[in-house]
Amino acid sequence: MIAGFFIKAAAVMASLYGMIKMYDGWMFFTYFTNISNILIDIILVLFLVLDVKMFLNQEVKRQVRSQRLYIIKYLFTISITLTFLVYLCILAPTSEGGFFHSYFRNGAASFCVHFITPVLAILDFFLFDHEYQSTTRHVVYATFVPLCYVAAVLILANVFHVRWDEGMMAPYNFINYGAEAGWFGLELGTVNSQTVGVGAAYMILILLFIFIVLGELYLLGKNVRHKSINKKQ
C-alpha cells in the first residue's frame, strides 16, 4: 500500500507540474494530453484518499473500492497510455524542434505529462489493480473517451470555428483533416508537424483499434498478475 501511495502521488505531482507549466488559456483544455492527465489525476487522487482510508481502517477495504471505480480507473489508464504512445511514436518524431526537444522544452513539462505520469499510472494499474473482475465489454468501454474527444474537436472546429497551431482543423497533426490528406487521402510525402500524410478517418480508426488492443492486453496482464498472486498465497 505504501508503494502504491507514492506511485500515485508522484504521478499526480508530475502531471500537475507539467500542466501548470504548459497552461496557456482555455485552449489548453482542447488537447487530449491535458484531458487524459486531468482524468487520471482525478481518479488517482480519489484512490489516494481511499488508500488512506483503508490504511486507517483495514475493515473498510471492500466498501470503499467498488467495481465501478476500478472500471473507470481502467478506462482512464488506457487513455493516458494512448497519450504516452501517440506522443512517443507520432508527435515527438514529427516535432519541428526534434524528438528530445519536444519532451524537454519548457522545463521538461512535456516529459512529465507525456512520459512520467503515464508510466507511473500504468505501473500503478498493473501492480495494484489486479483484483477487480473484468469482461470483454469493458474493452469496448475504452473507446468511449476518444470518441467523445473526436466529437468535441469536430464541434469546436465546425460550429465554433476554432483553429489550432497555424490554422489546423484539429489539435494534433494525425487527425488534422484540413491537411492535404483530408479525411480519406494518402499524402505520405507531406509528413510534418501539421500532418502525418494519412487521412484523419484512417488515423481515428487505427487509434480506436489501438485502444481496443490495449484494453485487451491490460485485462490479460491484470488477470495473469491476479492468478500469480493467488498462487503465491
Side-chain angles (χ1 to χ4, degrees):
M1 182 178 290
I2 300 299
F5 182 90
F6 282 109
I7 288 176
K8 292 179 183 69
V12 171
M13 287 190 290
S15 177
L16 291 177
Y17 166 79
M19 289 193 291
I20 290 171
K21 293 282 288 184
M22 294 169 63
Y23 181 77
D24 58 357
W26 76 269
M27 288 284 284
F28 171 90
F29 298 101
T30 66
Y31 290 88
F32 190 80
T33 289
N34 302 323
I35 294 172
S36 62
N37 269 265
I38 291 170
L39 292 176
I40 201 68
D41 286 349
I42 291 172
I43 199 67
L44 287 178
V45 168
L46 177 57
F47 269 70
L48 276 171
V49 173
L50 298 181
D51 283 349
V52 172
K53 190 173 181 179
M54 286 191 298
F55 181 76
L56 296 176
N57 185 358
Q58 294 293 325
E59 294 180 1
V60 302
K61 182 174 181 181
R62 291 185 180 277
Q63 287 74 34
V64 298
R65 284 191 170 184
S66 68
Q67 171 76 358
R68 193 168 297 175
L69 280 178
Y70 274 121
I71 294 173
I72 293 172
K73 190 163 185 265
Y74 161 69
L75 302 183
F76 291 174
T77 302
I78 295 177
S79 293
I80 199 72
T81 302
L82 191 72
T83 291
F84 166 73
L85 291 175
V86 169
Y87 199 85
L88 178 70
C89 300
I90 299 177
L91 296 176
T94 59
S95 171
E96 292 183 354
F99 184 88
F100 290 103
H101 178 265
S102 69
Y103 275 109
F104 294 100
R105 68 180 187 275
N106 196 17
S110 183
F111 185 63
C112 287
V113 299
H114 291 114
F115 191 90
I116 294 179
T117 295
V119 168
L120 290 177
I122 294 166
L123 282 175
D124 181 65
F125 176 82
F126 281 109
L127 291 176
F128 308 109
D129 294 338
H130 55 82
E131 294 181 356
Y132 81 90
Q133 300 300 310
S134 55
T135 64
T136 303
R137 73 173 185 275
H138 295 157
V139 177
V140 178
Y141 295 164
T143 63
F144 179 75
V145 176
L147 286 175
C148 286
Y149 177 74
V150 170
V153 167
L154 292 177
I155 291 171
L156 287 172
N158 293 283
V159 177
F160 297 99
H161 307 291
V162 174
R163 295 294 180 269
W164 287 267
D165 295 339
E166 299 181 23
M168 289 202 306
M169 298 288 287
Y172 299 105
N173 60 359
F174 55 89
I175 56 171
N176 180 22
Y177 59 93
E180 292 91 334
W183 280 105
F184 300 101
L186 286 174
E187 298 288 342
L188 299 181
T190 62
V191 178
N192 54 52
S193 61
Q194 290 205 0
T195 178
V196 295
V198 179
Y202 303 136
M203 291 303 300
I204 291 170
L205 289 175
I206 290 171
L207 291 173
L208 287 176
F209 175 75
I210 292 173
F211 255 84
I212 293 172
V213 171
L214 283 175
E216 289 285 2
L217 290 175
Y218 273 37
L219 293 184
L220 176 63
K222 186 270 299 180
N223 291 335
V224 169
R225 175 162 172 74
H226 184 66
K227 290 179 181 178
S228 174
I229 290 177
N230 284 343
K231 285 182 180 179
K232 291 179 181 179
Q233 294 175 346

